[in-house]
Amino acid sequence: MIGHRLFIDHGSEFVIGRTSVIGDDVTIDQRASCVGDGSPGRRHALVGNGTLIGSGAKVIGPVPLGAGAKIGAGAVVNHDVEAGTTVVGINEE
């Protein structure tokens, strides 16, 4: 499910898995991916309203990205991100 006003900046080579839920006013830059991890059921990201996913970032698995989160370019995220948080680099448990 995709919310209102999704903005795909430089819309090339991006991946949004079919069980992803994308909130309103989300920006996704080029080469960003919300990919599954093989989990049963929902296996892709739950992206909160107003979130930014930077160029080349990878969000892996059914992790929630809180409203207003910012995922930096090239970041790798595989666990929950709190609302309003900025994540850069490899963000793993």
Side-chain angles (χ1 to χ4, degrees), residues 21-60:
V21 177
I22 310 293
D24 296 336
D25 303 308
V26 169
T27 298
I28 301 175
D29 288 336
Q30 72 271 16
R31 296 188 178 142
S33 300
C34 294
V35 298
D37 66 355
S39 297
R42 188 175 65 81
R43 53 190 192 279
H44 300 96
L46 173 62
V47 181
N49 295 337
T51 296
L52 166 67
I53 301 176
S55 179
K58 308 298 182 224
V59 180
I60 303 168

Side-chain angles (χ1 to χ4, degrees), residues 5-93:
R5 297 172 303 279
L6 171 64
F7 180 64
I8 300 171
D9 200 8
H10 304 288
S12 66
E13 301 179 37
F14 66 94
V15 176
I16 301 172
R18 72 178 180 172
T19 64
S20 293
V21 177
I22 310 293
D24 296 336
D25 303 308
V26 169
T27 298
I28 301 175
D29 288 336
Q30 72 271 16
R31 296 188 178 142
S33 300
C34 294
V35 298
D37 66 355
S39 297
R42 188 175 65 81
R43 53 190 192 279
H44 300 96
L46 173 62
V47 181
N49 295 337
T51 296
L52 166 67
I53 301 176
S55 179
K58 308 298 182 224
V59 180
I60 303 168
V63 298
L65 305 178
K70 291 179 178 57
I71 310 304
V76 178
V77 178
N78 68 358
H79 72 278
D80 301 4
V81 175
E82 296 289 324
T85 300
T86 299
V87 175
V88 297
I90 298 174
N91 185 16
E92 61 185 336
E93 291 185 299

